[in-house]
Amino acid sequence: MRIVELEARHVRIPLKRKMSHATYVRTETDNVVVRCVLSDGAVGFGEGVPRDYVTGETIDFSLDLLKRTEFAKQLDADCPDFPAAVHLAEKIALAPVPGDDRMIHGNAARCAVELAVLDAFGRSFGEPLTKVTELVAPELYRFRDRVQYSGVLTNPRGWKTRFYPFVYWASGFAETKIKVGMAGQDDPKRLKRFRRWLGRKMDVRVDANEAWSPAEVAARIRELEPFGITSVEQPVRHEDVACLAAVRKEVKTPIMLDESLCGEVDAERAAANGWCDLFNIRLSKCGGFVPSLRLAQLAKRHGLGYQLGCQVGETAVLSAAGRHFATSVADLRHCEGSYDRHLVREWLATDDITFRPGGWAPALTGSGLGIAVDAARLDAVTQRKDKLI
């Protein structure tokens, strides 16, 4: 079995509501969707969400990088079984980017290609994406028939300030992430209010999205600690991340890296220098399913925790990949994702895999990603199309 076609698309999808955090305000998402066709006719899809403030990728950068990569040579292999296909997918390497010492420029684009390849071969050989975890990281493999996702509170206004926390509490969510560090906001006041409405039993963590300076970060964290936060995500800019080794000694709250944790180079540096307690692993940001498994393995080796995160604007393609990761990887501290119909106006699939009340969602059955992409919907939101093979 071999790859005979590979195609990349730029899709633009409006969001149902404005998403705000300390770094960015977004009302639509520009994603890369890759289509892979095998010699037996099996078709697979993958998705990446380029973000220039995370991995240095714009949508045009990602597509141009894919066009510069010699996929015809790289993927010219006959795969007799699914393990061979997984090995082929892990070796996918995009064209080099000058000055990319972190080896992350292109991660979203690579994720889209890798997932499309794994989806296509999974369908051909009748294997689900969870099988990749079992093959690549057997020590992490633990299948679960359902998973519970976290809620998220960004910057609700007016009646929504009380309504959203009430919905999370009333529907049975166990965890909520709250965005902090936004201009003009009194974070301790907001946390006190949200904690009251969410209840004392709710696991609450905060995400600063690089909002604070090294001089203030410890004080900012300490003023939020009375509200029972379980972690603080990316409190400083990536350029200042080295200061967190000292900050960890000044605060009680575990520190999680996100924008500073995009690949193996980042992870090795963070572990070696004591910059964090936790990794936020996001499939698109980290280069795909297999690289994300490698980061979880690295975290385990160094005694660090890890969670599954997501990108704002993921459609059902990435949501499905995240579901397979969430239901097959052991010891995830938190799971984020599957916001599909709550956030994007077009989730591209015939099936709705959005999480259910309380954040609960079942494992996906079937081969590959376990969802069917709607070709008509995909065509309707396509802005650009490039043939790669």
Side-chain angles (χ1 to χ4, degrees):
M1 208 67 60
R2 59 193 316 113
I3 297 170
V4 295
E5 291 181 35
L6 200 66
E7 171 192 88
R9 299 184 183 216
H10 165 198
V11 302
R12 176 171 293 156
I13 301 172
L15 303 181
K16 288 188 173 182
R17 55 191 174 94
K18 181 171 66 176
M19 296 297 293
S20 306
H21 57 66
T23 305
Y24 209 88
V25 177
R26 186 172 301 282
T27 58
E28 61 184 12
T29 184
D30 291 285
N31 299 359
V32 176
V33 173
V34 171
R35 177 176 178 267
C36 177
V37 182
L38 304 185
S39 53
D40 69 345
V43 179
F45 289 90
E47 181 182 24
V49 184
R51 296 289 183 256
D52 58 354
Y53 56 90
V54 179
T55 58
E57 297 170 85
T58 63
I59 187 68
D60 288 331
F61 174 93
S62 293
L63 291 173
D64 291 343
L65 183 61
L66 290 176
K67 288 183 67 177
R68 289 197 294 111
T69 302
E70 297 183 341
F71 287 112
K73 292 181 180 179
Q74 195 172 142
L75 299 177
D76 183 20
D78 188 15
C79 295
D81 52 30
F82 193 59
V86 173
H87 181 65
L88 177 69
E90 183 170 17
K91 292 193 301 180
I92 292 171
L94 303 191
V97 177
D100 181 19
D101 71 307
R102 295 169 64 194
M103 305 294 288
I104 64 170
H105 296 331
N107 275 4
R110 188 200 178 281
C111 177
V113 175
E114 184 213 63
L115 290 181
V117 169
L118 291 173
D119 185 30
F121 279 107
R123 293 177 189 278
S124 181
F125 291 114
E127 296 284 5
L129 215 62
T130 51
K131 184 69 175 180
V132 178
T133 304
E134 189 176 4
L135 291 169
V136 171
E139 76 282 10
L140 296 181
Y141 179 72
R142 187 183 71 196
F143 182 77
R144 294 179 286 170
D145 60 7
R146 67 172 186 162
V147 65
Q148 189 174 26
Y149 288 99
S150 297
V152 61
L153 291 169
T154 54
N155 189 24
R157 303 294 181 93
W159 60 271
K160 297 177 182 178
T161 304
R162 291 190 179 189
F163 178 72
Y164 287 164
F166 172 77
V167 168
Y168 288 144
W169 172 81
S171 64
F173 275 81
E175 305 171 352
T176 302
K177 181 165 79 174
I178 298 175
K179 297 287 186 175
V180 295
M182 289 174 281
Q185 294 286 351
D186 183 329
D187 286 328
K189 184 177 180 179
R190 290 176 71 237
L191 261 291
K192 182 178 181 180
R193 185 168 61 243
F194 284 141
R195 171 55 84 185
R196 183 171 67 249
W197 295 331
L198 291 167
R200 300 303 304 181
K201 293 182 179 180
M202 182 78 72
D203 182 300
V204 172
R205 61 193 188 278
V206 298
D207 182 4
N209 288 107
E210 303 183 293
W212 300 323
S213 70
E216 67 179 331
V217 59
R220 293 290 190 185
I221 295 172
R222 284 198 298 266
E223 67 183 4
L224 300 181
E225 288 182 332
F227 308 108
I229 57 175
T230 57
S231 68
V232 56
E233 186 176 326
Q234 198 65 42
V236 297
R237 297 183 309 158
H238 173 70
E239 292 80 1
D240 300 322
V241 71
C243 79
L244 295 179
V247 170
R248 289 177 63 214
K249 300 175 183 178
E250 300 178 46
V251 301
K252 300 176 182 177
T253 306
I255 291 176
M256 181 184 300
L257 292 188
D258 182 15
E259 286 86 352
S260 294
L261 193 280
C262 297
E264 188 173 350
V265 172
D266 285 348
E268 291 284 7
R269 290 173 178 172
N273 293 287
W275 293 341
C276 70
D277 304 279
L278 301 156
F279 290 171
N280 185 9
I281 298 172
R282 297 192 272 171
L283 300 186
S284 176
K285 175 194 72 168
C286 297
F289 201 94
V290 176
S292 294
L293 290 172
R294 296 304 187 198
L295 291 179
Q297 289 177 314
L298 190 152
K300 274 281 195 183
R301 290 198 301 272
H302 290 279
L304 301 175
Y306 48 93
Q307 73 160 45
L308 173 66
C310 69
Q311 303 280 162
V312 172
E314 293 183 1
T315 75
V317 178
L318 257 176
S319 291
R323 183 75 55 80
H324 286 283
F325 196 91
T327 55
S328 65
V329 175
D331 300 323
L332 290 167
R333 295 289 183 91
H334 311 284
C335 292
E336 299 171 357
S338 288
Y339 291 100
D340 303 11
R341 62 179 165 82
H342 295 306
L343 186 56
V344 291
R345 293 197 178 278
E346 177 52 72
W347 58 82
L348 301 183
T350 58
D351 307 305
D352 180 4
I353 62 168
T354 309
F355 57 67
R356 298 171 181 175
W360 289 105
L364 297 175
T365 59
S367 56
L369 288 174
I371 61 166
V373 171
D374 189 311
R377 291 178 179 178
L378 180 59
D379 287 340
V381 296
T382 295
Q383 309 295 308
R384 169 183 167 183
K385 188 186 302 185
D386 292 316
K387 187 176 179 61
L388 306 178
I389 293 180

